[in-house]
């Protein structure tokens, strides 16, 4: 379904000089409907009469006070299209100018075709599309791919989108207290749509990338596909916190901070630090281990939940922290 597409602007002369990639727009669409953690606990109690589960554990475990919930009729592509439509309108970008669309969401409309096609169709685009799915790293991977394409002169304007409907993986009926404990992580997720516009430019924008992976730790955070009696369903989101933490501490601190020093930068040179947030506690533990100044971190998880691949774009849409302030939660 990805036909040949060579924008007219792609000529050797156009790329005779160094081309830089700039992020020229970011938009996050957060569904208006919200579900507080207290309301969620009431629902769990109503759906599971007789279940004795500890009230307050979800908030204590994650720091999540509320999450956004998409309408029952909304698909992941709908959330992505809404965010992209707002971004294109705000930046005055004609959809026909988009050379490549990357869908970076974990949530899908279909196994086949790629959800990217549905987004492109709704936006009236006729450009190549594909997907970058790698858990909550997906948007970062899409940015890296887009940067490589732009630097190589293959495309000049790339749209990255994501639509997350993670709240649909939250289990309603639980088989005992152990099942509740296993499912706690799934009760932290939230729904969102995001879009990022990347364009070729003459001035530096994206400065560098550095990617690490500890693939042996894959069982630490999973959403399994369950095959049972001929049926297929998506399982609950479960996290082994100890194993996840062990994976992070195998990373040398210098490897992480060396990315900054290699560019001649220090933490003081940054206005804000944006990072994926699976829980508030793990966010602060990560900062402590790697020496990230907490007063520069933009915190979104308390008010917006774990929005998976949409985390960084949602971070970028929040106001930066004030210099010297304590870690803050930015409201919507």
């Amino acid at each position: 379904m990805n036909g040949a597409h060579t924008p007219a602007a792609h000529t050797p002369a156009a790329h005779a000089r160094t081309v830089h990639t700039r992020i020229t727009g970011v938009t996050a669409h957060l569904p208006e409907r919200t579900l507080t953690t207290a309301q969620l606990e009431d629902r769990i109690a109503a759906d599971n009469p007789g279940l004795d589960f500890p009230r307050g554990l979800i908030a204590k475990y994650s720091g999540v006070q509320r999450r956004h919930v998409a309408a029952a009729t909304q698909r992941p592509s709908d959330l992505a299209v809404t965010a992209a439509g707002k971004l294109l309108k705000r930046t005055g970008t004609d959809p026909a100018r988009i050379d490549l669309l990357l869908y970076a969401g974990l949530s899908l409309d279909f196994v086949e075709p790629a959800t990217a096609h549905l987004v492109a169709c709704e936006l009236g685009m006729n450009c190549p599309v594909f997907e970058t799915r790698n858990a909550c790293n997906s948007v970062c991977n899409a940015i890296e791919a887009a940067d490589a394409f732009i630097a190589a002169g293959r495309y000049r304007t790339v749209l990255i989108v994501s639509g997350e409907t993670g709240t649909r993986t939250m289990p309603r009926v639980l088989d005992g207290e152990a099942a509740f404990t296993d499912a706690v992580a799934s009760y932290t997720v939230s729904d969102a749509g995001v879009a990022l516009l990347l364009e070729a430019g003459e001035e530096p924008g994206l400065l560098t990338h550095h990617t690490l992976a500890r693939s042996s730790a894959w069982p630490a955070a999973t959403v399994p596909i369950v095959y049972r009696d001929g049926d297929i369903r998506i399982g609950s989101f479960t996290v082994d916190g100890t194993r996840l933490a062990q994976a992070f501490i195998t990373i040398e601190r210098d490897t992480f901070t060396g990315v900054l020093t290699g560019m001649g930068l220090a933490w003081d040179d940054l206005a804000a630090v944006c990072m994926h947030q699976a829980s508030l506690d793990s966010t602060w533990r990560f900062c402590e281990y790697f020496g990230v100044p907490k007063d520069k971190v933009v915190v979104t998880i308390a008010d917006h939940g774990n929005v998976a691949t949409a985390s960084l774009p949602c971070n970028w849409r929040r106001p930066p922290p004030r210099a010297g302030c304590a870690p803050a939660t930015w409201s919507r």
Side-chain angles (χ1 to χ4, degrees), residues 61 182 185 217-222 237-247:
Y61 163 83
D182 290 342
W218 70 264
T222 62
F237 175 40
T238 60
V239 173
D240 181 338
T242 300
R243 189 164 191 168
L244 192 60
Q246 289 173 341

Side-chain angles (χ1 to χ4, degrees), residues 310-325:
S311 280
L312 289 181
C314 285
N315 273 216
W316 294 334
R317 293 291 293 158
R318 302 299 103 201
R322 298 184 304 277
C325 72

Side-chain angles (χ1 to χ4, degrees), residues 207-208 210 254-266 269:
L207 300 181
T208 191
H210 191 78
D254 291 346
T255 300
F256 184 80
T257 57
V259 178
L260 280 179
T261 56
M263 294 186 293
L265 298 174
D269 296 312

Side-chain angles (χ1 to χ4, degrees), residues 59 156 273:
R156 291 189 61 84
V273 176

Side-chain angles (χ1 to χ4, degrees), residues 251-332:
I251 302 172
E252 295 291 338
R253 289 181 176 86
D254 291 346
T255 300
F256 184 80
T257 57
V259 178
L260 280 179
T261 56
M263 294 186 293
L265 298 174
W267 292 117
D268 288 342
D269 296 312
L270 306 183
V273 176
C274 301
M275 55 195 298
H276 172 61
Q277 294 160 36
S279 75
L280 194 57
D281 180 67
S282 64
T283 297
W284 297 141
R285 287 179 181 273
F286 182 91
C287 290
E288 290 170 1
Y289 183 77
F290 288 106
V292 180
K294 294 181 179 180
D295 62 343
K296 290 184 179 290
V297 175
V298 181
V299 180
T300 57
I301 188 167
D303 281 342
H304 307 304
N306 177 357
V307 285
T309 65
S311 280
L312 289 181
C314 285
N315 273 216
W316 294 334
R317 293 291 293 158
R318 302 299 103 201
R322 298 184 304 277
C325 72
T329 297
W330 299 100
S331 60
R332 187 165 161 269

